[in-house]
Amino acid sequence: MIRVLLAEDMHMIRAALTALLRLESDIEVVAEVTKGDEIVPEALRVRPDVAVVDIDLPVVDGITAAATLRERLPSCRILVLTAMGQPGNVRRALAAGIEAFLVKDAPGDRLADAIRRTAAGLRVLDAELVSAAMEYGESPLTPRETTVLKEAARGASAEDIAARLHLSPGTVRNYLTGAITKTGARNKIDAIRIAQDAGWL
């Protein structure tokens, strides 16, 4: 029996995935979490064979959580779910050592097959997704620009970001301007969209 931890924040999708996997005689969903920071503690508690992790999770994103899980529980294999429109995330996940990916809109029977292959230690890579991911280069953003843009993506104002990072509001605005310029964006919102699509945040 393959024990699976499922990390997905959207209730309907999580329920559908769980129902789908319950139809498989050799797969058991042993835990469900909705936030990225819940993945590692829950995995350490239930010891799954495979963690199926959505990238877009609240609190801690799926790739960051998956990378931590690899360190804390190496016996647990990780299958990342991603959208075709975010190929840059595959580059980030590959850099974090994740070797199994499944596009979210793949046919239902592919999920069970991907879990079996992941549990067996095989790579699960969608050729079209990986090809699209390779079109994106490395992030042009500095670590500080990335941090500031992440905070802005969460809706924080320049003043809030400055207080949180112990910077002046003017310095925060300079980092945001740098991020806008380097991403070729029209404004802050556009820079956030471009960076998220490319998997740089």
mmCIF file of all heavy atoms in Angstrom, residues 110-159:
data_model
loop_
_atom_site.group_PDB
_atom_site.id
_atom_site.type_symbol
_atom_site.label_atom_id
_atom_site.label_comp_id
_atom_site.label_asym_id
_atom_site.label_seq_id
_atom_site.Cartn_x
_atom_site.Cartn_y
_atom_site.Cartn_z
ATOM 1 N N ARG A 110 -3.855 9.563 -14.661
ATOM 2 C CA ARG A 110 -2.413 9.811 -14.644
ATOM 3 C C ARG A 110 -1.895 10.097 -13.245
ATOM 4 O O ARG A 110 -0.724 9.883 -12.966
ATOM 5 C CB ARG A 110 -2.060 10.965 -15.579
ATOM 6 C CG ARG A 110 -2.142 10.538 -17.047
ATOM 7 C CD ARG A 110 -1.579 11.571 -17.979
ATOM 8 N NE ARG A 110 -0.215 11.949 -17.657
ATOM 9 C CZ ARG A 110 0.372 13.041 -18.145
ATOM 10 N NH1 ARG A 110 -0.280 13.837 -18.951
ATOM 11 N NH2 ARG A 110 1.611 13.334 -17.816
ATOM 12 N N LEU A 111 -2.760 10.603 -12.353
ATOM 13 C CA LEU A 111 -2.321 10.891 -10.994
ATOM 14 C C LEU A 111 -1.903 9.621 -10.269
ATOM 15 O O LEU A 111 -0.816 9.558 -9.681
ATOM 16 C CB LEU A 111 -3.420 11.610 -10.202
ATOM 17 C CG LEU A 111 -3.096 11.880 -8.726
ATOM 18 C CD1 LEU A 111 -1.859 12.763 -8.588
ATOM 19 C CD2 LEU A 111 -4.289 12.517 -8.022
ATOM 20 N N ALA A 112 -2.740 8.604 -10.298
ATOM 21 C CA ALA A 112 -2.414 7.347 -9.625
ATOM 22 C C ALA A 112 -1.149 6.730 -10.208
ATOM 23 O O ALA A 112 -0.279 6.251 -9.478
ATOM 24 C CB ALA A 112 -3.587 6.371 -9.728
ATOM 25 N N ASP A 113 -1.038 6.768 -11.537
ATOM 26 C CA ASP A 113 0.146 6.224 -12.188
ATOM 27 C C ASP A 113 1.394 7.003 -11.789
ATOM 28 O O ASP A 113 2.448 6.425 -11.515
ATOM 29 C CB ASP A 113 -0.033 6.271 -13.717
ATOM 30 C CG ASP A 113 1.161 5.707 -14.445
ATOM 31 O OD1 ASP A 113 1.504 4.531 -14.208
ATOM 32 O OD2 ASP A 113 1.776 6.443 -15.247
ATOM 33 N N ALA A 114 1.264 8.341 -11.725
ATOM 34 C CA ALA A 114 2.400 9.183 -11.334
ATOM 35 C C ALA A 114 2.814 8.901 -9.889
ATOM 36 O O ALA A 114 4.003 8.888 -9.567
ATOM 37 C CB ALA A 114 2.039 10.657 -11.514
ATOM 38 N N ILE A 115 1.833 8.665 -9.014
ATOM 39 C CA ILE A 115 2.145 8.344 -7.613
ATOM 40 C C ILE A 115 2.894 7.017 -7.532
ATOM 41 O O ILE A 115 3.888 6.890 -6.808
ATOM 42 C CB ILE A 115 0.855 8.311 -6.769
ATOM 43 C CG1 ILE A 115 0.334 9.741 -6.566
ATOM 44 C CG2 ILE A 115 1.098 7.639 -5.413
ATOM 45 C CD1 ILE A 115 -1.030 9.825 -5.918
ATOM 46 N N ARG A 116 2.435 6.032 -8.282
ATOM 47 C CA ARG A 116 3.122 4.721 -8.277
ATOM 48 C C ARG A 116 4.562 4.859 -8.770
ATOM 49 O O ARG A 116 5.491 4.299 -8.188
ATOM 50 C CB ARG A 116 2.359 3.735 -9.147
ATOM 51 C CG ARG A 116 1.013 3.318 -8.582
ATOM 52 C CD ARG A 116 0.330 2.261 -9.440
ATOM 53 N NE ARG A 116 -1.015 2.020 -8.952
ATOM 54 C CZ ARG A 116 -2.116 2.530 -9.507
ATOM 55 N NH1 ARG A 116 -2.033 3.287 -10.600
ATOM 56 N NH2 ARG A 116 -3.302 2.276 -8.995
ATOM 57 N N ARG A 117 4.739 5.604 -9.841
ATOM 58 C CA ARG A 117 6.081 5.774 -10.396
ATOM 59 C C ARG A 117 6.978 6.571 -9.445
ATOM 60 O O ARG A 117 8.155 6.270 -9.299
ATOM 61 C CB ARG A 117 5.994 6.467 -11.762
ATOM 62 C CG ARG A 117 5.346 5.554 -12.814
ATOM 63 C CD ARG A 117 5.059 6.294 -14.097
ATOM 64 N NE ARG A 117 6.274 6.831 -14.692
ATOM 65 C CZ ARG A 117 6.299 7.860 -15.549
ATOM 66 N NH1 ARG A 117 5.175 8.443 -15.890
ATOM 67 N NH2 ARG A 117 7.428 8.281 -16.046
ATOM 68 N N THR A 118 6.405 7.590 -8.807
ATOM 69 C CA THR A 118 7.164 8.380 -7.840
ATOM 70 C C THR A 118 7.583 7.520 -6.657
ATOM 71 O O THR A 118 8.727 7.566 -6.208
ATOM 72 C CB THR A 118 6.335 9.586 -7.356
ATOM 73 O OG1 THR A 118 5.965 10.381 -8.488
ATOM 74 C CG2 THR A 118 7.121 10.445 -6.380
ATOM 75 N N ALA A 119 6.642 6.717 -6.151
ATOM 76 C CA ALA A 119 6.932 5.828 -5.017
ATOM 77 C C ALA A 119 8.033 4.836 -5.365
ATOM 78 O O ALA A 119 8.825 4.439 -4.506
ATOM 79 C CB ALA A 119 5.667 5.084 -4.589
ATOM 80 N N ALA A 120 8.102 4.444 -6.645
ATOM 81 C CA ALA A 120 9.114 3.485 -7.094
ATOM 82 C C ALA A 120 10.465 4.151 -7.341
ATOM 83 O O ALA A 120 11.431 3.487 -7.718
ATOM 84 C CB ALA A 120 8.640 2.794 -8.364
ATOM 85 N N GLY A 121 10.527 5.470 -7.135
ATOM 86 C CA GLY A 121 11.788 6.173 -7.312
ATOM 87 C C GLY A 121 12.055 6.633 -8.729
ATOM 88 O O GLY A 121 13.175 7.032 -9.059
ATOM 89 N N LEU A 122 11.029 6.584 -9.583
ATOM 90 C CA LEU A 122 11.206 6.995 -10.975
ATOM 91 C C LEU A 122 10.933 8.489 -11.129
ATOM 92 O O LEU A 122 10.200 9.087 -10.338
ATOM 93 C CB LEU A 122 10.248 6.208 -11.876
ATOM 94 C CG LEU A 122 10.403 4.688 -11.848
ATOM 95 C CD1 LEU A 122 9.312 4.034 -12.685
ATOM 96 C CD2 LEU A 122 11.783 4.276 -12.350
ATOM 97 N N ARG A 123 11.515 9.083 -12.149
ATOM 98 C CA ARG A 123 11.252 10.488 -12.445
ATOM 99 C C ARG A 123 9.928 10.581 -13.198
ATOM 100 O O ARG A 123 9.658 9.778 -14.081
ATOM 101 C CB ARG A 123 12.366 11.081 -13.291
ATOM 102 C CG ARG A 123 13.703 11.101 -12.586
ATOM 103 C CD ARG A 123 14.723 11.824 -13.408
ATOM 104 N NE ARG A 123 14.545 13.260 -13.228
ATOM 105 C CZ ARG A 123 15.408 14.170 -13.676
ATOM 106 N NH1 ARG A 123 16.459 13.804 -14.338
ATOM 107 N NH2 ARG A 123 15.202 15.451 -13.473
ATOM 108 N N VAL A 124 9.126 11.558 -12.826
ATOM 109 C CA VAL A 124 7.853 11.797 -13.503
ATOM 110 C C VAL A 124 7.913 13.231 -14.038
ATOM 111 O O VAL A 124 7.743 14.185 -13.294
ATOM 112 C CB VAL A 124 6.655 11.636 -12.545
ATOM 113 C CG1 VAL A 124 5.347 11.928 -13.263
ATOM 114 C CG2 VAL A 124 6.645 10.242 -11.934
ATOM 115 N N LEU A 125 8.193 13.347 -15.327
ATOM 116 C CA LEU A 125 8.356 14.658 -15.935
ATOM 117 C C LEU A 125 7.485 14.782 -17.170
ATOM 118 O O LEU A 125 7.529 13.914 -18.048
ATOM 119 C CB LEU A 125 9.816 14.887 -16.329
ATOM 120 C CG LEU A 125 10.852 14.834 -15.202
ATOM 121 C CD1 LEU A 125 12.257 14.908 -15.773
ATOM 122 C CD2 LEU A 125 10.624 15.971 -14.216
ATOM 123 N N ASP A 126 6.703 15.835 -17.239
ATOM 124 C CA ASP A 126 5.905 16.127 -18.417
ATOM 125 C C ASP A 126 6.831 16.833 -19.412
ATOM 126 O O ASP A 126 7.334 17.917 -19.137
ATOM 127 C CB ASP A 126 4.722 17.021 -18.026
ATOM 128 C CG ASP A 126 3.819 17.333 -19.202
ATOM 129 O OD1 ASP A 126 4.275 18.039 -20.115
ATOM 130 O OD2 ASP A 126 2.662 16.870 -19.196
ATOM 131 N N ALA A 127 7.069 16.209 -20.560
ATOM 132 C CA ALA A 127 8.034 16.736 -21.527
ATOM 133 C C ALA A 127 7.695 18.158 -21.961
ATOM 134 O O ALA A 127 8.580 19.018 -22.062
ATOM 135 C CB ALA A 127 8.096 15.815 -22.745
ATOM 136 N N GLU A 128 6.411 18.431 -22.206
ATOM 137 C CA GLU A 128 6.002 19.767 -22.648
ATOM 138 C C GLU A 128 6.250 20.802 -21.554
ATOM 139 O O GLU A 128 6.714 21.909 -21.813
ATOM 140 C CB GLU A 128 4.521 19.746 -23.025
ATOM 141 C CG GLU A 128 4.041 21.022 -23.691
ATOM 142 C CD GLU A 128 2.575 20.959 -24.073
ATOM 143 O OE1 GLU A 128 1.975 19.869 -24.037
ATOM 144 O OE2 GLU A 128 2.025 22.025 -24.415
ATOM 145 N N LEU A 129 5.977 20.417 -20.314
ATOM 146 C CA LEU A 129 6.172 21.316 -19.183
ATOM 147 C C LEU A 129 7.652 21.626 -18.974
ATOM 148 O O LEU A 129 8.043 22.779 -18.784
ATOM 149 C CB LEU A 129 5.593 20.675 -17.909
ATOM 150 C CG LEU A 129 5.575 21.529 -16.648
ATOM 151 C CD1 LEU A 129 4.681 22.742 -16.828
ATOM 152 C CD2 LEU A 129 5.098 20.696 -15.470
ATOM 153 N N VAL A 130 8.492 20.608 -19.031
ATOM 154 C CA VAL A 130 9.932 20.804 -18.848
ATOM 155 C C VAL A 130 10.500 21.656 -19.977
ATOM 156 O O VAL A 130 11.323 22.538 -19.753
ATOM 157 C CB VAL A 130 10.666 19.452 -18.753
ATOM 158 C CG1 VAL A 130 12.177 19.657 -18.748
ATOM 159 C CG2 VAL A 130 10.229 18.705 -17.499
ATOM 160 N N SER A 131 10.024 21.421 -21.194
ATOM 161 C CA SER A 131 10.481 22.206 -22.337
ATOM 162 C C SER A 131 10.122 23.675 -22.158
ATOM 163 O O SER A 131 10.948 24.569 -22.394
ATOM 164 C CB SER A 131 9.845 21.662 -23.622
ATOM 165 O OG SER A 131 10.156 22.486 -24.708
ATOM 166 N N ALA A 132 8.908 23.923 -21.700
ATOM 167 C CA ALA A 132 8.480 25.308 -21.462
ATOM 168 C C ALA A 132 9.294 25.931 -20.340
ATOM 169 O O ALA A 132 9.656 27.114 -20.398
ATOM 170 C CB ALA A 132 6.993 25.343 -21.115
ATOM 171 N N ALA A 133 9.615 25.143 -19.319
ATOM 172 C CA ALA A 133 10.384 25.650 -18.180
ATOM 173 C C ALA A 133 11.781 26.078 -18.598
ATOM 174 O O ALA A 133 12.344 27.039 -18.073
ATOM 175 C CB ALA A 133 10.468 24.588 -17.092
ATOM 176 N N MET A 134 12.364 25.355 -19.552
ATOM 177 C CA MET A 134 13.713 25.664 -19.982
ATOM 178 C C MET A 134 13.783 26.977 -20.756
ATOM 179 O O MET A 134 14.865 27.533 -20.945
ATOM 180 C CB MET A 134 14.279 24.522 -20.838
ATOM 181 C CG MET A 134 14.493 23.223 -20.071
ATOM 182 S SD MET A 134 15.542 23.454 -18.607
ATOM 183 C CE MET A 134 14.376 23.227 -17.270
ATOM 184 N N GLU A 135 12.628 27.476 -21.214
ATOM 185 C CA GLU A 135 12.616 28.750 -21.925
ATOM 186 C C GLU A 135 12.886 29.925 -20.986
ATOM 187 O O GLU A 135 13.323 30.982 -21.417
ATOM 188 C CB GLU A 135 11.262 28.956 -22.622
ATOM 189 C CG GLU A 135 11.017 27.981 -23.763
ATOM 190 C CD GLU A 135 9.653 28.172 -24.388
ATOM 191 O OE1 GLU A 135 8.998 29.202 -24.094
ATOM 192 O OE2 GLU A 135 9.240 27.295 -25.168
ATOM 193 N N TYR A 136 12.610 29.724 -19.695
ATOM 194 C CA TYR A 136 12.852 30.774 -18.724
ATOM 195 C C TYR A 136 14.288 30.680 -18.230
ATOM 196 O O TYR A 136 14.776 29.595 -17.915
ATOM 197 C CB TYR A 136 11.908 30.632 -17.515
ATOM 198 C CG TYR A 136 10.500 31.063 -17.793
ATOM 199 C CD1 TYR A 136 9.556 30.151 -18.260
ATOM 200 C CD2 TYR A 136 10.099 32.374 -17.603
ATOM 201 C CE1 TYR A 136 8.252 30.540 -18.524
ATOM 202 C CE2 TYR A 136 8.799 32.767 -17.858
ATOM 203 C CZ TYR A 136 7.885 31.851 -18.316
ATOM 204 O OH TYR A 136 6.597 32.231 -18.578
ATOM 205 N N GLY A 137 14.946 31.819 -18.151
ATOM 206 C CA GLY A 137 16.308 31.829 -17.625
ATOM 207 C C GLY A 137 16.296 31.900 -16.107
ATOM 208 O O GLY A 137 15.249 31.851 -15.455
ATOM 209 N N GLU A 138 17.486 32.025 -15.547
ATOM 210 C CA GLU A 138 17.604 32.223 -14.110
ATOM 211 C C GLU A 138 17.017 33.583 -13.746
ATOM 212 O O GLU A 138 16.970 34.497 -14.568
ATOM 213 C CB GLU A 138 19.082 32.155 -13.691
ATOM 214 C CG GLU A 138 19.715 30.788 -13.896
ATOM 215 C CD GLU A 138 19.073 29.706 -13.050
ATOM 216 O OE1 GLU A 138 18.699 30.008 -11.904
ATOM 217 O OE2 GLU A 138 18.917 28.586 -13.536
ATOM 218 N N SER A 139 16.611 33.721 -12.516
ATOM 219 C CA SER A 139 16.025 34.979 -12.062
ATOM 220 C C SER A 139 17.042 36.120 -12.140
ATOM 221 O O SER A 139 18.175 35.980 -11.673
ATOM 222 C CB SER A 139 15.535 34.843 -10.618
ATOM 223 O OG SER A 139 15.110 36.111 -10.139
ATOM 224 N N PRO A 140 16.637 37.248 -12.716
ATOM 225 C CA PRO A 140 17.538 38.405 -12.757
ATOM 226 C C PRO A 140 17.509 39.208 -11.450
ATOM 227 O O PRO A 140 18.284 40.148 -11.268
ATOM 228 C CB PRO A 140 16.964 39.237 -13.909
ATOM 229 C CG PRO A 140 15.488 38.945 -13.850
ATOM 230 C CD PRO A 140 15.379 37.498 -13.428
ATOM 231 N N LEU A 141 16.623 38.813 -10.546
ATOM 232 C CA LEU A 141 16.430 39.566 -9.305
ATOM 233 C C LEU A 141 17.462 39.194 -8.253
ATOM 234 O O LEU A 141 17.851 38.036 -8.125
ATOM 235 C CB LEU A 141 15.025 39.308 -8.743
ATOM 236 C CG LEU A 141 13.847 39.583 -9.684
ATOM 237 C CD1 LEU A 141 12.543 39.175 -9.028
ATOM 238 C CD2 LEU A 141 13.824 41.042 -10.104
ATOM 239 N N THR A 142 17.882 40.188 -7.482
ATOM 240 C CA THR A 142 18.752 39.910 -6.339
ATOM 241 C C THR A 142 17.907 39.274 -5.235
ATOM 242 O O THR A 142 16.667 39.382 -5.262
ATOM 243 C CB THR A 142 19.391 41.200 -5.795
ATOM 244 O OG1 THR A 142 18.331 42.022 -5.247
ATOM 245 C CG2 THR A 142 20.147 41.961 -6.870
ATOM 246 N N PRO A 143 18.542 38.619 -4.254
ATOM 247 C CA PRO A 143 17.755 38.045 -3.142
ATOM 248 C C PRO A 143 16.874 39.081 -2.450
ATOM 249 O O PRO A 143 15.726 38.800 -2.108
ATOM 250 C CB PRO A 143 18.829 37.500 -2.204
ATOM 251 C CG PRO A 143 19.969 37.164 -3.114
ATOM 252 C CD PRO A 143 19.957 38.237 -4.168
ATOM 253 N N ARG A 144 17.387 40.308 -2.270
ATOM 254 C CA ARG A 144 16.596 41.339 -1.588
ATOM 255 C C ARG A 144 15.429 41.809 -2.458
ATOM 256 O O ARG A 144 14.319 42.007 -1.960
ATOM 257 C CB ARG A 144 17.501 42.527 -1.222
ATOM 258 C CG ARG A 144 16.795 43.562 -0.352
ATOM 259 C CD ARG A 144 16.286 42.959 0.934
ATOM 260 N NE ARG A 144 17.194 43.196 2.015
ATOM 261 C CZ ARG A 144 16.964 42.845 3.270
ATOM 262 N NH1 ARG A 144 15.831 42.242 3.586
ATOM 263 N NH2 ARG A 144 17.839 43.078 4.208
ATOM 264 N N GLU A 145 15.653 41.951 -3.757
ATOM 265 C CA GLU A 145 14.557 42.323 -4.651
ATOM 266 C C GLU A 145 13.478 41.247 -4.656
ATOM 267 O O GLU A 145 12.286 41.560 -4.657
ATOM 268 C CB GLU A 145 15.092 42.536 -6.074
ATOM 269 C CG GLU A 145 15.885 43.806 -6.251
ATOM 270 C CD GLU A 145 16.655 43.868 -7.556
ATOM 271 O OE1 GLU A 145 16.820 42.803 -8.204
ATOM 272 O OE2 GLU A 145 17.099 44.970 -7.926
ATOM 273 N N THR A 146 13.916 40.000 -4.616
ATOM 274 C CA THR A 146 12.965 38.889 -4.580
ATOM 275 C C THR A 146 12.127 38.940 -3.317
ATOM 276 O O THR A 146 10.904 38.795 -3.355
ATOM 277 C CB THR A 146 13.719 37.538 -4.661
ATOM 278 O OG1 THR A 146 14.476 37.509 -5.871
ATOM 279 C CG2 THR A 146 12.750 36.368 -4.639
ATOM 280 N N THR A 147 12.780 39.151 -2.178
ATOM 281 C CA THR A 147 12.073 39.221 -0.896
ATOM 282 C C THR A 147 11.068 40.363 -0.887
ATOM 283 O O THR A 147 9.911 40.190 -0.469
ATOM 284 C CB THR A 147 13.072 39.401 0.265
ATOM 285 O OG1 THR A 147 13.974 38.297 0.275
ATOM 286 C CG2 THR A 147 12.363 39.482 1.604
ATOM 287 N N VAL A 148 11.495 41.527 -1.353
ATOM 288 C CA VAL A 148 10.614 42.695 -1.369
ATOM 289 C C VAL A 148 9.423 42.453 -2.303
ATOM 290 O O VAL A 148 8.279 42.774 -1.962
ATOM 291 C CB VAL A 148 11.401 43.957 -1.790
ATOM 292 C CG1 VAL A 148 10.457 45.115 -2.110
ATOM 293 C CG2 VAL A 148 12.368 44.365 -0.678
ATOM 294 N N LEU A 149 9.683 41.858 -3.470
ATOM 295 C CA LEU A 149 8.591 41.593 -4.413
ATOM 296 C C LEU A 149 7.626 40.548 -3.862
ATOM 297 O O LEU A 149 6.407 40.637 -4.063
ATOM 298 C CB LEU A 149 9.173 41.146 -5.764
ATOM 299 C CG LEU A 149 8.271 41.348 -6.993
ATOM 300 C CD1 LEU A 149 7.877 42.813 -7.139
ATOM 301 C CD2 LEU A 149 8.969 40.859 -8.252
ATOM 302 N N LYS A 150 8.147 39.545 -3.134
ATOM 303 C CA LYS A 150 7.271 38.555 -2.488
ATOM 304 C C LYS A 150 6.345 39.233 -1.483
ATOM 305 O O LYS A 150 5.154 38.932 -1.416
ATOM 306 C CB LYS A 150 8.106 37.499 -1.754
ATOM 307 C CG LYS A 150 8.611 36.376 -2.615
ATOM 308 C CD LYS A 150 9.340 35.361 -1.750
ATOM 309 C CE LYS A 150 9.904 34.228 -2.574
ATOM 310 N NZ LYS A 150 10.676 33.281 -1.750
ATOM 311 N N GLU A 151 6.912 40.124 -0.686
ATOM 312 C CA GLU A 151 6.092 40.839 0.303
ATOM 313 C C GLU A 151 5.039 41.695 -0.394
ATOM 314 O O GLU A 151 3.885 41.744 0.034
ATOM 315 C CB GLU A 151 6.988 41.719 1.186
ATOM 316 C CG GLU A 151 7.914 40.956 2.107
ATOM 317 C CD GLU A 151 7.170 40.171 3.174
ATOM 318 O OE1 GLU A 151 6.088 40.622 3.598
ATOM 319 O OE2 GLU A 151 7.664 39.105 3.570
ATOM 320 N N ALA A 152 5.430 42.341 -1.493
ATOM 321 C CA ALA A 152 4.472 43.161 -2.245
ATOM 322 C C ALA A 152 3.371 42.285 -2.831
ATOM 323 O O ALA A 152 2.203 42.682 -2.882
ATOM 324 C CB ALA A 152 5.193 43.924 -3.353
ATOM 325 N N ALA A 153 3.730 41.081 -3.252
ATOM 326 C CA ALA A 153 2.743 40.151 -3.812
ATOM 327 C C ALA A 153 1.707 39.758 -2.775
ATOM 328 O O ALA A 153 0.576 39.417 -3.116
ATOM 329 C CB ALA A 153 3.442 38.913 -4.363
ATOM 330 N N ARG A 154 2.090 39.791 -1.501
ATOM 331 C CA ARG A 154 1.152 39.466 -0.427
ATOM 332 C C ARG A 154 0.282 40.661 -0.053
ATOM 333 O O ARG A 154 -0.524 40.582 0.869
ATOM 334 C CB ARG A 154 1.921 38.994 0.808
ATOM 335 C CG ARG A 154 2.642 37.667 0.596
ATOM 336 C CD ARG A 154 3.271 37.177 1.895
ATOM 337 N NE ARG A 154 3.986 35.948 1.679
ATOM 338 C CZ ARG A 154 5.313 35.813 1.706
ATOM 339 N NH1 ARG A 154 6.066 36.864 1.957
ATOM 340 N NH2 ARG A 154 5.877 34.659 1.498
ATOM 341 N N GLY A 155 0.503 41.793 -0.731
ATOM 342 C CA GLY A 155 -0.326 42.967 -0.491
ATOM 343 C C GLY A 155 0.254 43.970 0.489
ATOM 344 O O GLY A 155 -0.416 44.937 0.854
ATOM 345 N N ALA A 156 1.500 43.766 0.914
ATOM 346 C CA ALA A 156 2.114 44.677 1.882
ATOM 347 C C ALA A 156 2.501 45.992 1.206
ATOM 348 O O ALA A 156 2.953 45.999 0.058
ATOM 349 C CB ALA A 156 3.345 44.024 2.505
ATOM 350 N N SER A 157 2.342 47.083 1.917
ATOM 351 C CA SER A 157 2.741 48.388 1.393
ATOM 352 C C SER A 157 4.246 48.552 1.568
ATOM 353 O O SER A 157 4.893 47.789 2.284
ATOM 354 C CB SER A 157 2.023 49.506 2.160
ATOM 355 O OG SER A 157 2.497 49.523 3.507
ATOM 356 N N ALA A 158 4.806 49.584 0.924
ATOM 357 C CA ALA A 158 6.245 49.845 1.050
ATOM 358 C C ALA A 158 6.611 50.092 2.511
ATOM 359 O O ALA A 158 7.658 49.638 2.986
ATOM 360 C CB ALA A 158 6.644 51.036 0.180
ATOM 361 N N GLU A 159 5.735 50.770 3.218
ATOM 362 C CA GLU A 159 5.993 51.060 4.632
ATOM 363 C C GLU A 159 5.980 49.776 5.474
ATOM 364 O O GLU A 159 6.819 49.588 6.360
ATOM 365 C CB GLU A 159 4.955 52.059 5.171
ATOM 366 C CG GLU A 159 5.098 53.467 4.641
ATOM 367 C CD GLU A 159 4.676 53.628 3.182
ATOM 368 O OE1 GLU A 159 3.932 52.761 2.673
ATOM 369 O OE2 GLU A 159 5.126 54.611 2.554
#
